[in-house]
Amino acid sequence: MILPRTFRSQARAHRRALSPEAALRHGESLALQPGLLHLLESARTIAAYLPSDGEIDTGPLIALLWERGKHVFLPLLRFAPHKHLAFGLYRPDTALLPNQYGIPEPVGTPVLDHPGQLDLALVPLVAFDSQGHRIGMGGGFYDRTFAYLKAPGAAPAPLLVGLAHECQRYPNLPAEPWDVPLDGVATERAFYSFNDKANAP
Ligand SMILES: Nc1nc2c(c(=O)[nH]1)N(C=O)[C@@H](CNc1ccc(C(=O)N[C@@H](CCC(=O)O)C(=O)O)cc1)CN2
Ligand SMILES: Nc1ncnc2c1ncn2[C@@H]1O[C@H](COP(=O)(O)OP(=O)(O)OP(=O)(O)O)[C@@H](O)[C@H]1O
């Protein structure tokens, strides 16, 4: 059995091995995926993220969201009362400052009161599998932020959709009890939906 931490660092190294040109090319293809574009139609308030550490380039998709008049938010690291994320409005003219991991965050913009105000959350990941399991950077930020979705009848509920390179897809990842499963994942090659909520009509 390969240790989770070893797996995470190997998968991160695999992701980082892609060139910035490949990450951008993949990001352009991602922004053309019909399954993803379909979900965007019914979403108005959308969380995205700025890429880091070899992640697929979200620039083309964010440009498309702005073009379509969507309200785009970016994650803001919060450490109290526990590690979680808030979401700050991101517009083309928003000032950004790097957070403690060097990822730019909006400053001085409106912050959502609750993640349930999002219609759709586009989620970064290190690895995913065909059941919607996700391995992230290991901070538990996304899991804690969306843990409330696991309560029966939790509402309102944003759709959770991972963005990734195809090379981040693995056959079977171990599921941890606190993991919040993804509804879908979009890559440069396909849109994978893991339940009816993320299905094209
Ligand atoms: N682009 C992007 N933004 C994101 C995430 C992400 O995965 N990708 N996150 C997803 O949750 C949150 C940030 N989580 C992170 C957790 C750990 C590390 C990281 O690099 N950890 C270093 C140790 C750094 C240190 O302690 O100073 C490491 O593991 O090597 C980065 C981001 C919010 N924003
Ligand atoms: N809902 C939760 N409540 C309490 N602790 C949690 C919760 N979710 C995750 N954790 C803790 O956070 C730690 C990191 O979790 P995990 O390795 O699944 O993070 P990750 O999904 O890879 O990270 P990230 O979401 O930041 O990308 C674990 O040790 C776990 O115990």
Side-chain angles (χ1 to χ4, degrees), residues 36-187:
L36 179 61
L37 296 178
H38 170 72
L39 291 182
L40 297 182
E41 278 171 29
S42 49
R44 210 169 96 90
T45 304
I46 301 176
Y49 61 89
L50 295 179
S52 152
D53 197 48
E55 288 169 342
I56 193 161
D57 197 327
T58 52
L61 182 58
I62 290 173
L64 179 81
L65 297 178
W66 282 334
E67 230 172 81
R68 298 196 174 177
K70 308 295 181 184
H71 299 163
V72 180
F73 286 78
L74 293 179
L76 305 170
L77 299 180
R78 296 284 194 253
F79 293 89
H82 49 242
K83 285 185 184 177
H84 68 288
L85 301 170
F87 293 93
L89 184 65
Y90 181 39
R91 302 193 320 163
D93 60 353
T94 299
L96 300 169
L97 270 181
N99 64 24
Q100 74 175 76
Y101 301 121
I103 306 169
E105 282 187 359
V107 281
T109 56
V111 174
L112 290 184
D113 294 323
H114 190 269
Q117 290 169 281
L118 295 166
D119 299 313
L120 171 65
L122 302 170
V123 177
L125 56 88
V126 170
F128 73 100
D129 71 12
S130 53
Q131 277 123 115
H133 299 140
R134 160 186 182 273
I135 288 184
M137 295 291 271
F141 285 98
Y142 277 90
D143 286 333
R144 280 196 210 80
T145 305
F146 292 106
Y148 83 94
L149 292 177
K150 296 181 83 165
L159 215 56
L160 301 187
V161 172
L163 304 181
H165 303 284
E166 193 63 36
C167 66
Q168 291 172 260
R169 187 157 66 97
Y170 292 82
N172 269 307
L173 296 177
E176 304 285 5
W178 57 80
D179 285 343
V180 182
L182 298 171
D183 297 304
V185 171
T187 74

